[in-house]
Amino acid sequence: MTSLDKPTEDTEDTDRTQPDDARAVTEAALFEAFGGVRGMVETVVPGLLFVAIFTINKDLHLSAIAALVVSLVLVVVRLAMKDTVKHAFSGVFGVAFGVVFAMFTGNAKDFYLPGMLYTLGLALAYIVTTLAGVPLIGLILGPVFKENLSWRTRNPGRKKAYAKASWAWGLILLAKCAILFPLYWWADTAQLGWVLVALKIPPFLLAVWLTWVFLAKAPAPIDVFAELEAEEKAEEARKAAQAGETTGAAGAIGTGDDGGAQGGRHRRDA
């Protein structure tokens, strides 16, 4: 086994909680992983613009183009500021798929359909991966916390926290889908759009807060990158020590041979 998955002493039922600095690290990691305030804004603005324009003039093409343009502008701003663009790009792809669907069918409500299907698929992914013993939230946050997959076998308490968080995400997203999909069939485009915009942030914040609560009470993450670096340094030191011993032994043998030869010459001279 590697250092990423080899078992260590049992840590699964400890009551140890993370200190304040570790909780701060947890908050920062969640903020980074889910995009923070700016990421939420970039998620909401295109859909908000689409439904606002469509509510006013019922023009599908203008609404879709405006939403796509503002998504691209958000990416350009990120690039200009040399900031990470993953959240902005995800928004662009989501809006682009919505525009394609709506333009292809001619039904403005289909602008929201790809995002709704994505939400449903994500909810099922959280639930299925948790049932499989590999909760999705752990796969997402493991690299952020520099623990990779060490929580699976080396940190059972943390694995339980990830499982709880994944259940929270899955059930919250399923509840959101239970509201949106009936509206897709029964409500008009404007009603569906405003409800969808209203449901963008609150469920997300609830899921993030529950994730923070579960992880704040869990054992601290195992920094596998630091462990690997320590192992590499120890291996380099061991090799250096072995090389020094080999050099010393060779020098000692050479000195012994010279002394024997000189003693033989002295005896013959006598």
Side-chain angles (χ1 to χ4, degrees):
M1 291 192 212
T2 67
S3 63
L4 300 183
D5 55 10
K6 63 184 178 184
T8 58
E9 290 80 4
D10 188 18
T11 60
E12 62 179 315
D13 289 317
T14 61
D15 293 327
R16 175 168 56 95
T17 58
Q18 299 180 64
D20 290 340
D21 58 343
R23 293 190 179 211
V25 170
T26 300
E27 293 175 8
L30 290 174
F31 197 86
E32 174 187 346
F34 297 114
V37 174
R38 187 173 180 180
M40 289 187 288
V41 170
E42 292 172 344
T43 301
V44 172
V45 168
L48 177 61
L49 186 62
F50 177 90
V51 68
I53 295 177
F54 189 84
T55 300
I56 295 172
N57 59 19
K58 307 299 181 183
D59 189 331
L60 169 60
H61 292 78
L62 179 61
S63 303
I65 292 173
L68 185 58
V69 168
V70 75
S71 297
L72 293 172
V73 168
L74 292 173
V75 172
V76 171
V77 171
R78 287 262 189 179
L79 290 173
M81 298 178 65
K82 297 181 179 179
D83 200 355
T84 177
V85 296
K86 61 180 180 180
H87 300 290
F89 266 129
S90 64
V92 168
F93 288 130
V95 171
F97 276 115
V99 169
V100 170
F101 267 64
M103 293 293 189
F104 181 76
T105 64
N107 184 354
K109 283 196 291 187
D110 287 340
F111 173 80
Y112 304 109
L113 188 57
M116 293 166 57
L117 293 174
Y118 173 78
T119 300
L120 178 60
L122 189 59
L124 295 176
Y126 276 116
I127 293 173
V128 171
T129 54
T130 304
L131 292 173
V134 193
L136 180 60
I137 199 70
L139 299 178
I140 295 172
L141 295 180
V144 178
F145 284 109
K146 300 181 181 180
E147 59 182 336
N148 282 352
L149 298 180
S150 63
W151 50 267
R152 290 192 62 203
T153 54
R154 303 180 59 195
N155 207 339
R158 198 158 180 85
K159 181 179 179 180
K160 288 181 180 179
Y162 280 138
K164 292 178 182 178
S166 288
W167 275 114
W169 278 91
L171 295 177
I172 289 171
L173 293 178
L174 278 181
K176 182 177 177 179
C177 291
I179 297 172
L180 293 178
F181 276 96
L183 288 176
Y184 175 79
W185 296 108
W186 302 331
D188 61 32
T189 301
Q191 291 171 337
L192 173 62
W194 287 114
V195 171
L196 196 147
V197 169
L199 290 178
K200 277 284 186 180
I201 302 301
F204 173 81
L205 290 180
L206 176 59
V208 170
W209 178 75
L210 288 174
T211 302
W212 179 85
V213 169
F214 296 138
L215 292 180
K217 296 179 180 179
I222 299 172
D223 191 338
V224 296
F225 295 104
E227 287 185 343
L228 290 174
E229 289 178 1
E231 289 180 4
E232 290 176 358
K233 290 180 180 179
E235 180 66 17
E236 291 174 359
R238 185 183 64 81
K239 290 180 179 179
Q242 288 180 344
E245 291 175 359
T246 302
T247 303
I253 293 172
T255 302
D257 290 344
D258 291 343
Q262 290 175 1
R265 287 197 299 272
H266 290 162
R267 284 192 295 271
R268 285 195 296 272
D269 293 340

